[in-house]
């Protein structure tokens, strides 16, 4: 069975309380005509509770951008999966390349965070992707499938989750891989998911992320094994994000 697509907006470290009007506008648009996808917004942690309140009863889910593996404790500045859930989140992005590169997150740490998300009842969106150097060296498939092997714990079997393929060089750069490159990587990811998780691995949407915008969304979203998108910059404004959702047709 084809997984239901997921379009998730990653606000990163952007957004103040005033930005909640954008979230409301997206929910209002989806209330007009049924959404072709599951839609989520992942604001900074400061806005999760307010956004969840603003979007209550709507079709738009709220997610976190990271969590710590432990449930609680002396970890100044960190946030647990349980706390995200308590604030109204139902998903969490894990292993984003900005966390892997900027905070030294390893596949093993990401896997521990995935376990935490499952423990708290959050759906993890696990990010993988190669750097430009890795792609140019011909290692893209090996790097990405290695990340999928090591960042996804066995306990995902039977659980709802998504994988996001985000080439590091495509994030925030305006560059995107060719459709053939996207299809090749997504097929390789699906192969690993199918082998490791059987029907659960078949049901998990594989999102593409990296410079998705309204002008390239339709082509990308209709490519083989692309089960949605993780959208950064173009998710901050409803006028940019809504056409991406609607590009699914
Ligand atoms: P971008 O970011 O859409 O701004 O390229 C995507 C992401 O980092 O999730």
């Amino acid at each position: 069975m084809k997984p239901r697509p997921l379009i998730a907006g990653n606000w990163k470290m952007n957004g103040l309380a005033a930005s909640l009007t954008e979230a409301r506008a997206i929910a209002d648009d989806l209330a007009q005509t049924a959404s072709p996808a599951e839609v989520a917004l992942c604001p900074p942690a400061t806005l999760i509770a307010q956004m969840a309140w603003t979007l209550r009863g709507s079709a738009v889910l709220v997610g976190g951008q990271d969590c710590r593996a432990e449930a609680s404790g002396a970890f100044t500045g960190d946030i647990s999966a349980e706390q995200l859930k308590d604030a109204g989140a139902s998903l969490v992005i894990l292993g984003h390349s900005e966390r892997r590169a900027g905070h030294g997150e390893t596949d093993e740490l990401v896997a521990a965070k995935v376990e935490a998300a499952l423990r708290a009842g959050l759906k993890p969106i696990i990010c993988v992707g190669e750097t430009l150097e890795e792609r140019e060296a011909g290692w893209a498939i090996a790097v990405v499938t290695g990340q999928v092997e090591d960042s996804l714990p066995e306990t995902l079997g039977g659980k709802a989750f998504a994988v996001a393929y985000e080439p590091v060089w495509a994030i925030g750069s305006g560059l995107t891989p060719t459709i053939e490159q996207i299809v090749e990587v997504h097929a390789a990811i699906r192969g690993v998911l199918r082998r490791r998780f059987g029907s659960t691995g078949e049901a998990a949407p594989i999102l593409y992320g990296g410079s998705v915008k309204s002008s390239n969304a339709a082509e990308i979203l209709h490519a083989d094994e692309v089960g949605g998108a993780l959208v950064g910059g173009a998710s901050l404004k409803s006028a940019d994000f809504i056409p991406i959702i609607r590009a699914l047709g």
Side-chain angles (χ1 to χ4, degrees):
M1 205 183 75
K2 228 174 144 11
R4 181 160 195 235
L6 168 63
I7 311 266
N10 174 10
W11 280 16
K12 309 191 179 185
M13 201 176 72
N14 297 295
L16 300 171
S19 322
L20 294 172
T21 53
E22 298 296 335
R24 191 64 246 169
I26 294 162
D28 288 347
D29 183 84
L30 295 184
Q32 306 288 316
T33 3
S35 168
E38 186 167 56
V39 176
L41 287 175
C42 303
T46 48
L47 289 181
I48 288 175
Q50 286 179 79
M51 186 181 279
W53 174 252
T54 301
L55 296 177
R56 69 196 182 284
S58 83
V60 183
L61 303 170
V62 179
Q65 299 175 8
D66 176 46
C67 70
R68 189 161 176 115
E70 291 82 357
S72 63
F75 304 110
T76 302
D78 285 344
I79 186 160
S80 72
E82 283 76 2
Q83 289 169 326
L84 292 175
K85 176 84 176 176
D86 187 53
S90 48
L91 311 89
V92 61
I93 298 169
L94 294 171
H96 190 282
S97 68
E98 286 153 18
R99 303 287 319 169
R100 290 177 184 267
H103 297 262
E105 293 198 5
T106 60
D107 288 335
E108 291 65 34
L109 181 63
V110 175
K113 292 181 175 203
V114 172
E115 303 264 19
L118 298 179
R119 183 187 68 219
L122 296 175
K123 175 153 105 179
I125 302 173
I126 305 132
C127 303
V128 295
E130 83 285 358
T131 64
L132 190 57
E133 295 68 37
E134 289 164 341
R135 173 157 289 277
E136 285 175 349
W139 300 338
I141 296 288
V143 167
V144 169
T145 54
Q147 288 174 331
V148 175
E149 294 282 5
D150 295 342
S151 304
L152 276 64
E154 282 316 311
T155 42
L156 278 171
K159 302 281 175 22
F161 68 95
V163 173
Y165 168 53
E166 300 203 300
V168 177
W169 51 276
I171 294 174
S173 64
L175 302 171
T176 51
T178 64
I179 294 299
E180 291 69 29
Q181 288 170 330
I182 294 174
V183 167
E184 184 191 23
V185 177
H186 280 232
I189 294 172
R190 180 65 72 205
V192 177
L193 296 183
R194 192 180 283 135
R195 175 176 54 70
R196 290 192 57 203
F197 302 109
S199 56
T200 313
E202 208 70 68
I206 304 171
L207 318 186
Y208 168 78
S211 297
V212 174
K213 44 186 189 277
S214 58
S215 57
N216 61 20
E219 195 186 13
I220 292 172
L221 289 170
H222 289 102
D224 244 21
E225 289 292 8
V226 174
L230 183 55
V231 185
S235 70
L236 295 171
K237 292 270 172 275
S238 55
D240 296 328
F241 195 50
I242 291 165
I244 294 174
I245 301 166
R246 296 290 172 201
L248 264 171

